[in-house]
Amino acid sequence: MSNPVKTERRGHVLEVTLDRPPANAIDAATSIRMGEVFCDFRDDDDLRVAILASTGDRIFSAGWDLKAAAGGEHERMDYGAGGFGGITELWDLTKPVIAAVSGLAVGGGCEIMLAADLVVASEGAEFWFPETRLGNVPDAGGVQRLPRKLPRNVAMELLLTGRRMGAPEAHEWGLVNWVVPPDQVLGKAREVADHLARNAPLSMQAIKQVVRGIEGLSTRDAFGAVQKGRFPAYERMLVSEDHAEGPRAFTEKREPDFKGR
């Protein structure tokens, strides 16, 4: 059996490619492997940014492998570290992830895209939750994340009706960051990743941890959570060499040389 998840390191960037033709559907074994890959990414101090892409330009991912489901796989079984797709429940992943979406992102494919921090989509990409026609619920991030990213009534429309949302509309709502021609999706994702990889990695990790940790708090309580030291990534950033390197490089009129320590 071929490896369904391919990886490539490009400097401080890890490219993760879902390679399970024809639809890049995700069964339990694939999900477990994706979790292993993203845990390794989390724990590797030399890696700062990940790109999640897939092979082909027709289907980014069809989501849950329904043939595997018909064969006995179910929602309550072990899908590995990080939950379905390796990142939908990887709560301690503080490094940025960019989803490079070409073609259809269906159900679980949409949910792993929603778990990313930034999204590059092809002009023909579509986002689609068909679960109500399958007797299911998009519970790997659809019902949890979509109403936080879109106005509630728009999110409910997509979840209840199964309507497909095209990339231009998704961009208007802020669901995706960039819409580009199909042959430029990976190139744009790499451009963004390379830009992020030049930033202070501990700063990016602190931002992601704090943003996630203050969801649901009032502004006052959010300030208090940061000031009371609730976020280890933020505290680590404050005492790091990089914290001093940024101002020093600015005053010396040179590019900062961040080490991630």
Side-chain angles (χ1 to χ4, degrees), residues 62-80:
W64 192 24
D65 187 333
L66 295 182
K67 290 183 179 179
E73 291 193 5
H74 55 86
E75 292 89 343
R76 299 299 185 189
M77 66 186 299
D78 182 12
Y79 282 89

PDB file of all heavy atoms in Angstrom, residues 62-80:
ATOM      1  N   ALA A  62     -12.269  14.576  -0.122  1.00  0.00           N
ATOM      2  CA  ALA A  62     -13.685  14.217   0.003  1.00  0.00           C
ATOM      3  C   ALA A  62     -14.074  13.964   1.447  1.00  0.00           C
ATOM      4  O   ALA A  62     -15.206  13.598   1.735  1.00  0.00           O
ATOM      5  CB  ALA A  62     -13.985  12.979  -0.836  1.00  0.00           C
ATOM      6  N   GLY A  63     -13.117  14.155   2.376  1.00  0.00           N
ATOM      7  CA  GLY A  63     -13.430  13.997   3.790  1.00  0.00           C
ATOM      8  C   GLY A  63     -13.420  12.540   4.217  1.00  0.00           C
ATOM      9  O   GLY A  63     -12.586  11.745   3.777  1.00  0.00           O
ATOM     10  N   TRP A  64     -14.333  12.194   5.102  1.00  0.00           N
ATOM     11  CA  TRP A  64     -14.401  10.845   5.658  1.00  0.00           C
ATOM     12  C   TRP A  64     -14.591   9.833   4.542  1.00  0.00           C
ATOM     13  O   TRP A  64     -15.437  10.008   3.658  1.00  0.00           O
ATOM     14  CB  TRP A  64     -15.562  10.783   6.647  1.00  0.00           C
ATOM     15  CG  TRP A  64     -15.593   9.552   7.516  1.00  0.00           C
ATOM     16  CD1 TRP A  64     -14.549   8.749   7.847  1.00  0.00           C
ATOM     17  CD2 TRP A  64     -16.749   9.009   8.173  1.00  0.00           C
ATOM     18  NE1 TRP A  64     -14.960   7.737   8.671  1.00  0.00           N
ATOM     19  CE2 TRP A  64     -16.317   7.878   8.898  1.00  0.00           C
ATOM     20  CE3 TRP A  64     -18.089   9.379   8.244  1.00  0.00           C
ATOM     21  CZ2 TRP A  64     -17.188   7.094   9.668  1.00  0.00           C
ATOM     22  CZ3 TRP A  64     -18.951   8.617   9.008  1.00  0.00           C
ATOM     23  CH2 TRP A  64     -18.506   7.486   9.712  1.00  0.00           C
ATOM     24  N   ASP A  65     -13.806   8.774   4.571  1.00  0.00           N
ATOM     25  CA  ASP A  65     -13.878   7.718   3.571  1.00  0.00           C
ATOM     26  C   ASP A  65     -15.156   6.911   3.817  1.00  0.00           C
ATOM     27  O   ASP A  65     -15.227   6.090   4.733  1.00  0.00           O
ATOM     28  CB  ASP A  65     -12.636   6.822   3.681  1.00  0.00           C
ATOM     29  CG  ASP A  65     -12.552   5.804   2.566  1.00  0.00           C
ATOM     30  OD1 ASP A  65     -13.608   5.413   2.022  1.00  0.00           O
ATOM     31  OD2 ASP A  65     -11.429   5.380   2.232  1.00  0.00           O
ATOM     32  N   LEU A  66     -16.173   7.137   2.983  1.00  0.00           N
ATOM     33  CA  LEU A  66     -17.468   6.487   3.199  1.00  0.00           C
ATOM     34  C   LEU A  66     -17.409   4.993   2.913  1.00  0.00           C
ATOM     35  O   LEU A  66     -18.205   4.222   3.468  1.00  0.00           O
ATOM     36  CB  LEU A  66     -18.536   7.166   2.338  1.00  0.00           C
ATOM     37  CG  LEU A  66     -18.822   8.628   2.697  1.00  0.00           C
ATOM     38  CD1 LEU A  66     -19.934   9.182   1.816  1.00  0.00           C
ATOM     39  CD2 LEU A  66     -19.206   8.766   4.171  1.00  0.00           C
ATOM     40  N   LYS A  67     -16.485   4.558   2.064  1.00  0.00           N
ATOM     41  CA  LYS A  67     -16.324   3.117   1.853  1.00  0.00           C
ATOM     42  C   LYS A  67     -15.796   2.463   3.126  1.00  0.00           C
ATOM     43  O   LYS A  67     -16.222   1.367   3.501  1.00  0.00           O
ATOM     44  CB  LYS A  67     -15.371   2.859   0.686  1.00  0.00           C
ATOM     45  CG  LYS A  67     -15.938   3.236  -0.677  1.00  0.00           C
ATOM     46  CD  LYS A  67     -14.965   2.894  -1.793  1.00  0.00           C
ATOM     47  CE  LYS A  67     -15.553   3.261  -3.147  1.00  0.00           C
ATOM     48  NZ  LYS A  67     -14.608   2.957  -4.257  1.00  0.00           N
ATOM     49  N   ALA A  68     -14.868   3.149   3.791  1.00  0.00           N
ATOM     50  CA  ALA A  68     -14.379   2.636   5.074  1.00  0.00           C
ATOM     51  C   ALA A  68     -15.499   2.652   6.111  1.00  0.00           C
ATOM     52  O   ALA A  68     -15.613   1.740   6.941  1.00  0.00           O
ATOM     53  CB  ALA A  68     -13.196   3.471   5.554  1.00  0.00           C
ATOM     54  N   ALA A  69     -16.340   3.694   6.073  1.00  0.00           N
ATOM     55  CA  ALA A  69     -17.471   3.773   6.999  1.00  0.00           C
ATOM     56  C   ALA A  69     -18.446   2.632   6.763  1.00  0.00           C
ATOM     57  O   ALA A  69     -18.938   2.008   7.712  1.00  0.00           O
ATOM     58  CB  ALA A  69     -18.175   5.118   6.854  1.00  0.00           C
ATOM     59  N   ALA A  70     -18.711   2.348   5.489  1.00  0.00           N
ATOM     60  CA  ALA A  70     -19.606   1.233   5.168  1.00  0.00           C
ATOM     61  C   ALA A  70     -19.004  -0.097   5.600  1.00  0.00           C
ATOM     62  O   ALA A  70     -19.736  -1.060   5.873  1.00  0.00           O
ATOM     63  CB  ALA A  70     -19.894   1.215   3.667  1.00  0.00           C
ATOM     64  N   GLY A  71     -17.668  -0.127   5.681  1.00  0.00           N
ATOM     65  CA  GLY A  71     -16.985  -1.343   6.103  1.00  0.00           C
ATOM     66  C   GLY A  71     -16.832  -1.479   7.604  1.00  0.00           C
ATOM     67  O   GLY A  71     -16.232  -2.451   8.079  1.00  0.00           O
ATOM     68  N   GLY A  72     -17.333  -0.506   8.364  1.00  0.00           N
ATOM     69  CA  GLY A  72     -17.321  -0.645   9.810  1.00  0.00           C
ATOM     70  C   GLY A  72     -16.645   0.474  10.574  1.00  0.00           C
ATOM     71  O   GLY A  72     -16.764   0.531  11.811  1.00  0.00           O
ATOM     72  N   GLU A  73     -15.914   1.364   9.908  1.00  0.00           N
ATOM     73  CA  GLU A  73     -15.320   2.478  10.644  1.00  0.00           C
ATOM     74  C   GLU A  73     -16.427   3.424  11.114  1.00  0.00           C
ATOM     75  O   GLU A  73     -17.433   3.607  10.428  1.00  0.00           O
ATOM     76  CB  GLU A  73     -14.311   3.230   9.768  1.00  0.00           C
ATOM     77  CG  GLU A  73     -13.062   2.404   9.477  1.00  0.00           C
ATOM     78  CD  GLU A  73     -11.919   3.223   8.891  1.00  0.00           C
ATOM     79  OE1 GLU A  73     -12.065   4.462   8.808  1.00  0.00           O
ATOM     80  OE2 GLU A  73     -10.892   2.633   8.532  1.00  0.00           O
ATOM     81  N   HIS A  74     -16.233   4.037  12.276  1.00  0.00           N
ATOM     82  CA  HIS A  74     -17.281   4.881  12.843  1.00  0.00           C
ATOM     83  C   HIS A  74     -16.668   6.059  13.593  1.00  0.00           C
ATOM     84  O   HIS A  74     -15.450   6.104  13.824  1.00  0.00           O
ATOM     85  CB  HIS A  74     -18.176   4.073  13.771  1.00  0.00           C
ATOM     86  CG  HIS A  74     -17.423   3.366  14.866  1.00  0.00           C
ATOM     87  ND1 HIS A  74     -17.106   3.969  16.061  1.00  0.00           N
ATOM     88  CD2 HIS A  74     -16.907   2.104  14.929  1.00  0.00           C
ATOM     89  CE1 HIS A  74     -16.441   3.126  16.826  1.00  0.00           C
ATOM     90  NE2 HIS A  74     -16.293   1.983  16.167  1.00  0.00           N
ATOM     91  N   GLU A  75     -17.510   6.996  13.981  1.00  0.00           N
ATOM     92  CA  GLU A  75     -17.051   8.250  14.569  1.00  0.00           C
ATOM     93  C   GLU A  75     -16.337   8.073  15.899  1.00  0.00           C
ATOM     94  O   GLU A  75     -15.473   8.877  16.261  1.00  0.00           O
ATOM     95  CB  GLU A  75     -18.239   9.211  14.780  1.00  0.00           C
ATOM     96  CG  GLU A  75     -18.874   9.727  13.501  1.00  0.00           C
ATOM     97  CD  GLU A  75     -19.985   8.820  12.978  1.00  0.00           C
ATOM     98  OE1 GLU A  75     -20.047   7.645  13.415  1.00  0.00           O
ATOM     99  OE2 GLU A  75     -20.785   9.278  12.151  1.00  0.00           O
ATOM    100  N   ARG A  76     -16.666   7.046  16.662  1.00  0.00           N
ATOM    101  CA  ARG A  76     -16.126   6.891  18.009  1.00  0.00           C
ATOM    102  C   ARG A  76     -14.813   6.111  18.054  1.00  0.00           C
ATOM    103  O   ARG A  76     -14.256   5.944  19.123  1.00  0.00           O
ATOM    104  CB  ARG A  76     -17.158   6.185  18.893  1.00  0.00           C
ATOM    105  CG  ARG A  76     -18.478   6.937  19.041  1.00  0.00           C
ATOM    106  CD  ARG A  76     -18.284   8.290  19.684  1.00  0.00           C
ATOM    107  NE  ARG A  76     -19.577   8.957  19.927  1.00  0.00           N
ATOM    108  CZ  ARG A  76     -19.706  10.202  20.322  1.00  0.00           C
ATOM    109  NH1 ARG A  76     -18.632  10.926  20.520  1.00  0.00           N
ATOM    110  NH2 ARG A  76     -20.894  10.727  20.502  1.00  0.00           N
ATOM    111  N   MET A  77     -14.328   5.696  16.908  1.00  0.00           N
ATOM    112  CA  MET A  77     -13.080   4.935  16.917  1.00  0.00           C
ATOM    113  C   MET A  77     -11.875   5.873  16.973  1.00  0.00           C
ATOM    114  O   MET A  77     -12.022   7.100  16.872  1.00  0.00           O
ATOM    115  CB  MET A  77     -13.007   4.005  15.701  1.00  0.00           C
ATOM    116  CG  MET A  77     -12.911   4.686  14.365  1.00  0.00           C
ATOM    117  SD  MET A  77     -13.007   3.494  13.009  1.00  0.00           S
ATOM    118  CE  MET A  77     -11.564   2.468  13.338  1.00  0.00           C
ATOM    119  N   ASP A  78     -10.707   5.305  17.145  1.00  0.00           N
ATOM    120  CA  ASP A  78      -9.486   6.089  17.287  1.00  0.00           C
ATOM    121  C   ASP A  78      -9.011   6.582  15.924  1.00  0.00           C
ATOM    122  O   ASP A  78      -8.664   5.774  15.057  1.00  0.00           O
ATOM    123  CB  ASP A  78      -8.404   5.229  17.945  1.00  0.00           C
ATOM    124  CG  ASP A  78      -7.102   5.984  18.166  1.00  0.00           C
ATOM    125  OD1 ASP A  78      -7.107   7.229  18.026  1.00  0.00           O
ATOM    126  OD2 ASP A  78      -6.096   5.333  18.475  1.00  0.00           O
ATOM    127  N   TYR A  79      -9.003   7.909  15.743  1.00  0.00           N
ATOM    128  CA  TYR A  79      -8.484   8.496  14.514  1.00  0.00           C
ATOM    129  C   TYR A  79      -7.090   9.088  14.722  1.00  0.00           C
ATOM    130  O   TYR A  79      -6.593   9.802  13.865  1.00  0.00           O
ATOM    131  CB  TYR A  79      -9.458   9.545  13.972  1.00  0.00           C
ATOM    132  CG  TYR A  79     -10.630   8.899  13.253  1.00  0.00           C
ATOM    133  CD1 TYR A  79     -11.769   8.541  13.957  1.00  0.00           C
ATOM    134  CD2 TYR A  79     -10.566   8.607  11.899  1.00  0.00           C
ATOM    135  CE1 TYR A  79     -12.832   7.911  13.323  1.00  0.00           C
ATOM    136  CE2 TYR A  79     -11.622   7.982  11.248  1.00  0.00           C
ATOM    137  CZ  TYR A  79     -12.754   7.638  11.963  1.00  0.00           C
ATOM    138  OH  TYR A  79     -13.805   7.000  11.332  1.00  0.00           O
ATOM    139  N   GLY A  80      -6.488   8.784  15.867  1.00  0.00           N
ATOM    140  CA  GLY A  80      -5.108   9.176  16.089  1.00  0.00           C
ATOM    141  C   GLY A  80      -4.961  10.507  16.791  1.00  0.00           C
ATOM    142  O   GLY A  80      -5.937  11.206  17.105  1.00  0.00           O
TER     143      GLY A  80
END
